[in-house]
Structure formats: structure tokens, C-alpha cells
Amino acid sequence: MSTATTTARAVTTSTIATGKSKDRNLASLIFLGVLWFSLFFGVVVLLALIIDTAIEGSGRFDHYLFTDYEKSIAHEQAQKFSELRGIPVEDLSNHFTGFRGGILGSLWLMITTALLAIPLGIAAATYLEEFADSSTWYNRMIEVNLQNLAAVPSIIYGMLAAAIMGLMGFQFKGIVIGGAIALALLILPVVIITTREALRAVPQDIRQGSLALGATVWQTTRRQTLPSAIPGIATGTILGLSRAIGEAAPLIMVGLAAVQWDPTGFTSKVEALPMQIFRMASSPQEAVQEAASAGIIVLLAMILGMNAIAIIIRNKFQRSW
Amino acid sequence: MSTQPATATSSTEGEPSALSLSIDEEAKHSVIGEVPAESVMETFHLNVFYGDFHAVHDVNLTFGKNEITALIGPSGCGKSTVLRCLNRMNDLVPGARVEGEINYHGQNIYGPKVDPIAVRQHIGMVFQKPNPFPKSIYDNIAYGPRVIGMKVDNMDDLVEEALRGAALWDEVKDKLKQSAYGLSGGQQQRLCIARTIATKPDVILMDEPCSALDPIATAKIEDLMLQMRKDFTIIIVTHNMQQAARVSDRTAFFTAKPDETTGNRTGLLVEFDRTKQLFSNPADKRTEDYISGRFG
């Protein structure tokens, strides 16, 4: 072993085996600390809110929450509970008030919104992505305005929907179709944008392969591009709908109001869960406020459920090209 | 790219007039050797533009029936552009414009009454990267005949025939219902060839079909091409000169000429001849430089 090798080894040992890491110096640690704090702040505040709400509403996680209408209770039940718990009959309704109207209303609104927004959104996105000549001024204008539409306040869509309902000749606008028009208009830009992204993710190779066989653009779109984009479209659409389910402002604008019955069709009067929560949370009665907290948890569960479905679809059908 | 000016300088030493020639004059000086007796396609003063950019200048070529014609040349010389014009795939590029004529059995495929979709049914194409559809092997083959409305007595027989034609049948006959994405790269490319054969085209264009494949898969595709020659006319773009020498009957050599003011490189045809002639005894200095590996 030569002296040179020995010296080199000594030098190496002294420079790389220093016993500490440069990734752990003060600046790095401070930076890491700031990142941790930001994450902590976001997550903890959200968690605190959810836990606080869940505790407040904990007394009301019973089946009446789902089966009863707002401030209503069947007469014979009222008698029974009045005797059992020693609460005056006239005050009882507050203790058993439920969200049946809101939950069923929101479900009806979601389904109708999906029926309106999904076909329109996919068709519009398919036109823009597969057929439109993006060099023409009108197509460019549409593209720019789509981005802007996604940022329009939701209450504006409520006014628009009310106007559409008026033009269609509906006297009373607070019905399933009215609310669904408002929500569909609200999520349409989101559906279009996510569908376009899903279509864009389908490699150009697939389209070219199909066209080179002598297929038309329409055949290529219908048989290759759209089927390949379905997972992305489904994910985007569900996320759009889960935004719509939490909206109250456009629905109030259209004229949805409290109901004491189940919706039976597209022209039934309905109300939505977020509206009912808003109304009940501002009530002076503690029992009603407690129910509102429980209602918030129900709404959160519905939204999280929809998002979970979106994530499952995305993971299950994820394709690497 | 950097070798281009160097070549230009070296050629000035030999023939002083070469550099001063305008692109129009140079295109007229394309060396056209022996042309095929029975032609399927011809290009006639083919010029291609992408917007203002002149991509290909005045190409005159003749593609012989049941022959393999190779288009070779350095990157950016327009050989792929020419190939994509032959079945009007260039129509799909925004801003692309074609001047001149491309005759297919005597009919100009850029004529006013020609339907590009019908052209593509006669002139199939295989791409650089294997691009099977995200479907089963069977559906990959059956897709073409279905979309073009081909009269098929028995689809199973047609699928088998196409897969045999692409020397893939024995490897996939037990997994026709499985996804095409489970196949290896070479198998996927042969599936793409089978998919093209299934629609019974006349001409098959291949755009660097082996550039994404390993040598063994490449050899299989080359054998396949030599077999397919008896039924189809094949036009292949390749970067691999050995491949051109191995499989093709005729070779067209393209080069790129930079514009003196803009620096945009316009492709032009330098030499077109029998492959043996072009490789053993090239008429143009640039062809010789390229095939001997001195530039490109």
C-alpha cells in the first residue's frame, strides 16, 4: 500500500465522515419548521372544526335525524316521548327535528344536476378538444371565458337559473328542476375543464392509429378517445357534484324554501341540506342548533363519500400509457 | 446539426458552385436513377409548408408496386413529412399545406373531390412508437374492418389471417381476449402491422417502425416486411441505414438545406435509385458522405 493511497483515505475520512449532516443545519431546519407549521395550521384548524361540530351535534345522532322533517313529530310519538322525558309536547318537535327534507332534496338535486351537467359538459369539452379549430377567434374566446366562468360567484348562477325558470314559464321556481339548473350551471365549467384534461391525457398516438385505419374523427372520438377518458371524466364530474351539494346561495336565490314533504318528481318543491343547516344554525333554540351541528356532519359525510368514490375510480382505472 | 456547415464547406472545396445554388436549382439537380416499371404512387413537385415554414421542397418520387422503398436522411430532412403526406395524415397538423400532386394509381389524392378518410383506407400506416388501442388483441384487429364498414363473413377468420400475416398468431392465439398492453414492444408493433393488414390496404407506410425496438424484435419486423412485400407496397422511413440496405428495393436520400436568412431547414430529395446502386455507387457527394457516416 503506497503512501499516496493512505493519504487519500485519510483525507476522505476527514471530509465525508464528519459526524453530522449538512441537511440538518440551522437554515434547513427553520425552513422545514415553516413547512411543518403551514401543514399543521391547515389540518389542525379543519380537524378542530369538525371535532367541535361533531361533539356539539353528538346528542342528535339518532334515526330521527334522517326520518323526521324539520320541527315535526308524529302525534302519538310526541305523546309517548313527552311522558318519557318530561318535556312539554309543544317543545318536543325541536328535540326530534330531522333533515329528511334536506337530505332527500339534496339527493334529488344531485341526480338532476348530474343529468343536466354531465351530457352538456362532456359534449362541450369533446367539441373543444376534438373538433374545434383553436386558431379561430370564437373558439379562443370560448376557451378564455370558460376559465372565467369557473370563477363566477355561485349566487350569480342562482339569479341566472331564476331567470331561465321565468322564461320557461314556471310560476314557482323553488322546485327540483330550478335548483338543478342553478347547480348545473355552477358546475358546468368545472365538468368541461376536467373532461378536457381527461381527453387531453389520451395520447395522440391512439387517435392517429385510429385515423390511419380510415376511421372518421367521430368514430375515433366515440370508440377510442372518450372510452379511454372515462375514468378522468368520472372523477372530475363527481368532484364537481360534491361542490354543488354544499352550495346554499344559488338555491336560496332561485327560491327554494323549507318543505315538510318528500320530493316526488322534477317539479316538486324541495329544499337542500346546506340551506336547512343554515336556517337551523341561526335558530335561537339550543335543540335546533344541536340538530344543525349533526346535520353538518351528515353533509360532510355525503361530500367525503362522493370524494372517496372519485378517488376509488381514479385509482382503479388509472392507466399509464 | 453542427456537422451540416462543415459538410457544406468540405463540398465547396470539391465543387465551388455547390454552395451558391439556390434551393430551386438544387432540387432540379436531384439524381433520379432507375425508376420502377410499375408504379403505385408518385409524387409530383411535392412541396409541404407548415404555416410560413417551407418543410419539403419539390420532391419527385415514384413508388413501385410490391417493392419496399426506404426514405433515409438526417433529422429534419422532411422524410417523415413526405411519408405523412402519402396518406394525408399531414391534414391533421394545424397549418400544414401541400402543393404539387401525389398520384395514387394515377389519381391525385390531394384533388378537390378526394376524401382523405377513403385515402387512408387504401394507404395504411404504422407508427414509430407501437400504439395499440387500450383494448383486447382481438378488438385491436377487428376495430379497423368495423369502422370502415368492411364486409366481413367471419371476423374470427379475418383476425387470424391478419395475425398470421404479421407473424404474431402463434404467440397470441391463446390470449386474444387479453389486453394488447400485456404484449412486449415488438409484439405490439407487429400487432399494429396486423391491425393495418386487416383492413386490406394497398400501400403500407411505416414511420421508423423499429426505432423503439431491440435488435431481435427489429429483425423479426424486417423479416416480416420482406414477406409482406409480395402482397403490399411498402414505404418505410428509417434512421437506420443498415436497415434500409437490408430490406429496401429502392432508396431515396433526403437532406436538409438551411435558409441563408432565417436558418429554417428545408428538406429536399438528393438521390433516388435502386438500393444496391445508391449504397454501392452513390452519384451525389452528400449521399456518399451520409451513407459512409461522415455526417447526419
Side-chain angles (χ1 to χ4, degrees):
Chain A
M1 181 97 36
S2 70
T3 7
T5 328
T6 325
T7 324
R9 185 172 294 164
V11 170
T12 314
T13 312
S14 66
T15 51
I16 67 169
T18 52
K20 58 181 181 184
S21 166
K22 280 185 180 161
D23 256 349
R24 289 278 173 274
N25 66 17
L26 189 63
S28 297
L29 288 175
I30 290 174
F31 185 58
L32 200 61
V34 171
L35 297 184
W36 268 103
F37 177 75
S38 308
L39 181 69
F40 183 78
F41 187 78
V43 173
V44 165
V45 169
L46 194 64
L47 256 176
L49 264 173
I50 293 174
I51 291 169
D52 184 50
T53 313
I55 291 169
E56 270 182 39
S58 59
R60 282 307 320 276
F61 290 124
D62 48 39
H63 66 88
Y64 300 109
L65 199 65
F66 303 95
T67 55
D68 278 17
Y69 298 109
E70 190 175 348
K71 294 191 181 183
S72 73
I73 185 164
H75 185 69
E76 61 272 26
Q77 272 184 329
Q79 289 297 334
K80 208 171 82 188
F81 282 111
S82 176
E83 286 160 20
L84 205 69
R85 298 205 182 170
I87 306 165
V89 178
E90 53 273 20
D91 194 28
L92 244 183
S93 64
N94 288 338
H95 289 267
F96 295 99
T97 186
F99 288 92
R100 181 176 176 140
I103 293 169
L104 282 174
S106 278
L107 288 177
W108 267 86
L109 284 168
M110 273 315 95
I111 291 165
T112 319
T113 303
L115 289 178
L116 288 173
I118 294 174
L120 279 177
I122 292 178
T126 306
Y127 168 75
L128 285 172
E129 217 36 53
E130 305 293 325
F131 293 89
D133 176 1
S134 60
S135 60
T136 54
W137 65 270
Y138 49 89
N139 282 327
R140 273 211 302 272
M141 205 176 76
I142 291 171
E143 290 201 14
V144 170
N145 280 307
L146 261 181
Q147 306 287 337
N148 293 339
L149 279 180
V152 168
S154 57
I155 199 160
I156 308 285
Y157 287 113
M159 293 170 73
L160 192 58
I164 292 171
M165 291 296 282
L167 286 174
M168 282 162 64
F170 285 99
Q171 284 296 313
F172 189 78
K173 302 177 183 72
I175 56 177
V176 173
I177 189 80
I181 288 176
L183 295 177
L185 288 170
L186 173 72
I187 67 165
L188 204 49
V190 180
V191 173
I192 293 175
I193 289 167
T194 49
T195 303
R196 289 188 69 187
E197 274 161 18
L199 288 172
R200 223 173 291 155
V202 177
Q204 210 59 34
D205 295 357
I206 301 289
R207 293 183 185 85
Q208 296 211 340
S210 172
L211 292 169
L213 287 171
T216 60
V217 177
W218 161 240
Q219 285 171 327
T220 303
T221 304
R222 197 183 74 81
R223 289 170 171 250
Q224 300 292 353
T225 321
L226 276 177
S228 304
I230 281 176
I233 295 172
T235 311
T237 309
I238 294 171
L239 291 178
L241 284 173
S242 73
R243 180 188 166 192
I245 202 173
E247 284 287 344
L251 298 178
I252 294 170
M253 203 67 215
V254 174
L256 270 66
V259 292
Q260 300 280 342
W261 54 82
D262 296 344
T264 51
F266 294 130
T267 50
S268 302
K269 293 180 180 180
V270 283
E271 70 169 337
L273 195 48
M275 286 175 58
Q276 210 185 339
I277 292 168
F278 171 71
R279 204 171 44 241
M280 288 168 71
S282 29
S283 159
Q285 284 134 331
E286 255 178 53
V288 180
Q289 285 177 18
E290 189 187 7
S293 296
I296 290 170
I297 300 298
V298 173
L299 180 60
L300 274 176
M302 286 169 85
I303 292 174
L304 286 178
M306 288 171 80
N307 288 3
I309 292 170
I311 291 168
I312 289 167
I313 290 177
R314 190 170 57 205
N315 289 349
K316 192 164 167 75
F317 296 100
Q318 207 163 39
R319 213 193 308 259
S320 54
W321 298 99
Chain B
M1 288 227 179
S2 58
T3 50
Q4 184 69 22
T7 322
T9 340
S10 70
S11 64
T12 16
E13 287 159 16
E15 27 185 349
S17 62
L19 197 68
S20 60
L21 280 177
S22 76
I23 191 153
D24 286 300
E25 288 161 339
E26 199 159 339
K28 278 181 202 137
H29 285 74
S30 301
V31 183
I32 308 288
E34 189 195 326
V35 289
E38 194 184 351
S39 81
V40 172
M41 297 189 82
E42 292 131 30
T43 69
F44 187 69
H45 294 301
L46 177 70
N47 280 277
V48 188
F49 301 85
Y50 293 120
D52 296 332
F53 168 54
H54 194 173
V56 172
H57 189 93
D58 213 32
V59 170
N60 295 289
L61 280 172
T62 309
F63 301 104
K65 187 170 164 54
N66 296 99
E67 284 189 357
I68 299 177
T69 308
L71 312 183
I72 62 167
S75 302
C77 70
K79 54 193 189 301
S80 283
T81 300
V82 169
L83 191 79
R84 296 170 77 86
C85 286
L86 297 177
N87 69 344
R88 297 199 57 170
M89 284 301 278
N90 252 2
D91 291 19
L92 307 171
V93 180
R97 187 161 53 86
V98 172
E99 283 175 12
E101 281 182 19
I102 295 178
N103 292 325
Y104 170 66
H105 292 295
Q107 189 178 12
N108 182 11
I109 61 168
Y110 280 89
K113 285 183 181 169
V114 172
D115 175 14
I117 287 151
V119 169
R120 292 181 203 130
Q121 292 175 7
H122 292 277
I123 306 169
M125 189 161 194
V126 176
F127 296 85
Q128 184 170 0
K129 204 174 133 236
N131 60 346
F133 302 129
K135 296 171 182 288
S136 71
I137 293 167
Y138 185 96
D139 287 338
N140 260 277
I141 309 285
Y143 176 76
R146 278 180 190 149
V147 292
I148 66 172
M150 218 165 99
K151 280 208 174 67
V152 181
D153 294 333
N154 187 338
M155 187 59 87
D156 293 358
D157 290 346
L158 181 75
V159 169
E160 181 175 343
E161 188 193 324
L163 285 169
R164 282 193 191 281
L168 192 62
W169 174 252
D170 291 333
E171 291 161 61
V172 300
K173 63 183 176 203
D174 299 325
K175 44 180 182 180
L176 292 175
K177 296 288 168 204
Q178 289 175 26
S179 166
Y181 280 46
L183 299 176
S184 72
Q187 288 174 325
Q188 287 188 5
Q189 192 64 303
R190 276 181 283 147
L191 180 67
C192 292
I193 293 173
R195 183 175 79 184
T196 308
I197 294 174
T199 59
K200 306 207 189 297
D202 187 18
V203 181
I204 297 178
L205 311 177
M206 296 188 171
D207 190 359
E208 298 182 38
C210 302
S211 64
L213 305 181
D214 65 61
I216 294 168
T218 301
K220 279 188 184 160
I221 303 251
E222 287 179 8
D223 288 345
L224 178 60
M225 286 169 65
L226 291 169
Q227 275 176 42
M228 285 162 64
R229 182 171 54 174
K230 64 179 192 297
D231 299 315
F232 304 97
T233 297
I234 298 174
I235 304 166
I236 176 177
V237 163
T238 178
H239 259 126
N240 182 334
M241 279 177 286
Q242 284 75 33
Q243 183 170 57
R246 279 194 299 262
V247 301
S248 71
D249 299 292
R250 277 169 222 278
T251 301
F253 171 65
F254 290 76
T255 193
K257 187 179 165 74
D259 187 284
E260 275 147 37
T261 47
T262 59
N264 285 337
R265 291 149 60 88
T266 300
L268 72 156
L269 178 65
V270 174
E271 192 168 349
F272 177 51
D273 208 335
R274 282 203 163 275
T275 301
K276 275 199 189 110
Q277 174 70 18
L278 189 129
F279 276 87
S280 61
N281 193 9
D284 195 287
K285 178 92 169 47
R286 286 166 297 178
T287 315
E288 194 186 336
D289 286 347
Y290 185 74
I291 60 176
S292 60
R294 253 173 281 174
F295 95 98

